């Protein structure tokens, strides 16, 4: 850990060295200020909105900020602009840290809870972000809407449901040739086999299973990358509630 990482309450640690060593990216002074403001606002709003149980500075940095950016792997330094959708964003993770890191990415942040989306609508301008598009919606309904279906280069989903359900949520929104990334904790061969069958029904394939450990707590993480090979059948995603009730 950086010698400069000792932090005070509501003040993020300076983790420049760890950022650079673990994801080959480091925030500018402006981005560090934005990340600090995001943290402070989440902690403040958390008292009324119950946004997250993770509020200690180092834990917040690792489990919300670092995890958000590490999840997209080499794409954090991808040279091209991307149209991205973050499903079940909650307080804005991974969408807001990515919007700060990549101002050239257009980020649609979706949650079914209006109060959480309202927080994002408030905080994004406060952070000086012009590339975020908060949206209140059920994911199943969104996947059937023409303006969103097959429209995104990248779909992200973190801590929402089982992997098969997450695949049904994400792949209908992704363009052919695009990618969905499922943020997971532990991962098993059995889950991979089940997911492979589900993804095939949705017009995709598993392209990568990215296993890594977090830099402070040494916790295991997996990001499952799905490559979109063909248009998803109009039957998917199924009606609200069905994917979780009857996973593929």
């Amino acid at each position: 850990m950086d010698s400069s990482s000792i932090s005070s309450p509501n003040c993020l640690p300076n983790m420049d060295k760890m950022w650079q060593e673990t994801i080959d990216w480091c925030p500018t002074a402006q981005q560090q200020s934005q990340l600090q403001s995001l943290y402070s606002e989440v902690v403040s709003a958390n008292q009324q909105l119950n946004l997250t149980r993770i509020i200690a500075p180092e834990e917040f940095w690792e489990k919300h900020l670092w995890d958000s950016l590490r999840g997209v792997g080499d794409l954090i330094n991808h040279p091209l602009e991307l149209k991205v959708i973050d499903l079940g964003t909650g307080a804005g993770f991974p969408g807001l840290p990515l919007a700060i890191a990549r101002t050239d990415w257009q980020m649609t942040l979706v949650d079914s809870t209006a109060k959480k989306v309202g927080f994002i609508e408030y905080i994004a301008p406060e952070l000086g972000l012009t590339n975020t598009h908060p949206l209140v919606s059920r994911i199943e309904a969104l996947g059937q809407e023409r303006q969103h279906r097959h429209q995104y280069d990248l779909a992200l989903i973190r801590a929402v449901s089982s992997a098969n359900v997450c695949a049904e949520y994400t792949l209908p929104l992704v363009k052919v040739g695009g990618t969905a990334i499922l943020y997971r904790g532990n991962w098993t061969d059995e889950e991979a086999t089940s997911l492979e069958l589900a993804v095939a029904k949705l017009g995709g394939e598993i392209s990568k299973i990215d296993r890594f450990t977090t830099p402070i707590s040494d916790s295991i993480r997996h990001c499952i990358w799905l490559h979109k090979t063909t248009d998803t059948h109009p039957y998917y995603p199924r009606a609200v509630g069905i994917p979780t009730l009857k996973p593929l």
Side-chain angles (χ1 to χ4, degrees), residues 146-164:
R146 182 178 299 178
Q147 64 267 41
H148 295 285
R149 187 177 180 86
H150 299 156
Q151 296 300 309
Y152 294 89
D153 302 300
L154 180 63
L156 309 172
I157 191 163
R158 181 175 181 255
V160 169
S161 190
S162 70
N164 289 11

Side-chain angles (χ1 to χ4, degrees), residues 2 4 13-21 25-27 32:
D2 300 11
S4 58
N14 183 330
M15 305 298 259
D16 285 0
K17 182 178 179 182
M18 197 169 285
W19 279 123
Q20 195 67 55
E21 289 178 348
W25 176 87
C26 189
Q32 180 63 28

Side-chain angles (χ1 to χ4, degrees), residues 86 95 173 191 196 215:
D86 172 16
L173 295 161
E191 286 177 297
E196 190 171 5

Side-chain angles (χ1 to χ4, degrees), residues 163-201:
N164 289 11
V165 173
C166 289
E168 186 171 353
Y169 286 162
T170 54
L171 282 175
L173 295 161
V174 176
K175 301 174 183 177
V176 172
T179 300
I181 301 178
L182 283 49
Y183 288 59
R184 315 297 297 175
N186 291 317
W187 188 248
T188 66
D189 291 340
E190 290 76 15
E191 286 177 297
T193 300
S194 174
L195 178 62
E196 190 171 5
L197 295 172
V199 168
K201 296 179 181 179

Side-chain angles (χ1 to χ4, degrees), residues 24-134:
D24 192 27
W25 176 87
C26 189
T28 64
Q30 179 182 347
Q31 288 169 331
Q32 180 63 28
S33 176
Q34 289 172 304
L35 293 172
Q36 172 61 54
S37 295
L38 172 59
Y39 172 54
S40 299
E41 292 286 357
V42 169
V43 171
S44 176
N46 201 51
Q47 300 174 42
Q48 288 79 37
L49 299 179
N50 192 27
L51 297 172
T52 177
R53 61 176 178 78
I54 300 169
I55 57 173
E58 286 186 357
E59 189 179 16
F60 188 95
W61 178 85
E62 179 184 56
K63 295 183 178 178
H64 281 323
L65 304 181
W66 182 89
D67 189 73
S68 292
L69 271 61
R70 175 60 181 83
V72 301
D74 292 341
L75 290 179
I76 194 63
N77 293 311
H78 195 282
L80 300 178
E81 298 178 9
L82 296 177
K83 187 176 181 182
V84 186
I85 189 164
D86 172 16
L87 300 172
T89 188
F93 304 103
L96 287 178
L98 285 167
I100 290 169
R102 293 298 304 257
T103 56
D104 57 338
W105 289 6
Q106 292 300 313
M107 301 288 312
T108 298
L109 298 95
V110 182
D111 203 275
S112 62
T113 303
K115 288 184 178 180
K116 292 180 179 179
V117 174
F119 169 74
I120 296 169
E121 289 174 334
Y122 158 76
I123 190 59
E126 292 290 311
L127 298 174
L129 297 175
T130 60
N131 59 331
T132 59
H133 313 283

